[in-house]
Amino acid sequence: MRWLSFFILAYIALGLDAGLARAIEWKAAPPDFVLLAAVFIALCAPHDTALLACFILGALHDLTGLGTLGLLAFSYGIAAVFIVSIQQAVNRQHPLAHFVLTGIAGMIVAVIVSLHGWIRPPLPGVHPPVMPLFYSAIYSAILAPFVLAALQKIRGVFHFQTSRGRM
């Protein structure tokens, strides 16, 4: 994988997440453009590269947010482990696969972040609302077929290698 292309994608995803996501939020839940980029990378990149790239995306998302450092990196890494494990069994260009995988990855991230919020609340005795996290996962899944189809069109820019191509 070309890492320069990856970091440009990460920069664009983080910029969309910081700027556009708040403008188009639904029920106080913005779409997660960084999660969409992580799903794309996990679907297309080789196993080890995908795991590292999704962890880096999560760490960069942690650095731009106000949450606990490493929480989203861990969450995106776990979501990438799931997607990479079924990568060979799904059609990478099918919109339904994009919708389902983004929905599952969003739910994994929502569960991990909400569990963290319940175990270590930001203020003692005050637990953060959980539903916006799940709404964000659903919203991201709805946008996934459109965003991932656009990313599939420029897939050659990333120069993904299959395991057979590296031998």
Side-chain angles (χ1 to χ4, degrees):
M1 180 170 77
R2 290 188 180 138
W3 286 98
L4 180 61
S5 300
F6 165 75
F7 282 112
I8 291 171
L9 174 66
Y11 182 78
I12 291 170
L14 288 165
L16 286 173
D17 214 47
L20 181 65
R22 300 285 180 241
I24 61 172
E25 66 184 16
W26 175 69
K27 290 193 176 192
D32 193 350
F33 291 106
V34 181
L35 178 68
L36 292 170
V39 169
F40 170 70
I41 295 295
L43 266 176
C44 299
H47 184 275
D48 295 336
T49 306
L51 296 178
L52 178 62
C54 289
F55 183 82
I56 290 171
L57 276 172
L60 291 172
H61 200 188
D62 280 330
L63 290 174
T64 60
L66 299 174
T68 304
L69 187 62
L71 181 62
L72 290 175
F74 175 73
S75 301
Y76 288 1
I78 296 297
V81 167
F82 169 74
I83 293 172
V84 165
S85 68
I86 63 168
Q87 184 184 59
Q88 298 298 322
V90 298
N91 183 355
R92 297 174 190 184
Q93 281 90 24
H94 200 279
L96 184 60
H98 297 162
F99 175 79
V100 170
L101 290 177
T102 304
I104 292 172
M107 292 297 170
I108 290 170
V109 171
V111 165
I112 291 172
V113 171
S114 61
L115 281 175
H116 179 266
W118 278 95
I119 293 170
R120 297 196 47 116
L123 298 171
V126 178
H127 299 290
V130 175
M131 289 313 290
L133 293 170
F134 291 100
Y135 288 148
S136 179
I138 293 167
Y139 194 7
S140 299
I142 291 169
L143 289 179
F146 306 106
V147 174
L148 294 181
L151 288 172
Q152 288 288 342
K153 299 266 188 216
I154 61 166
R155 185 177 173 191
V157 172
F158 295 94
H159 193 68
F160 294 120
Q161 293 179 346
T162 62
S163 57
R164 207 178 328 155
R166 285 185 284 171
M167 294 177 132

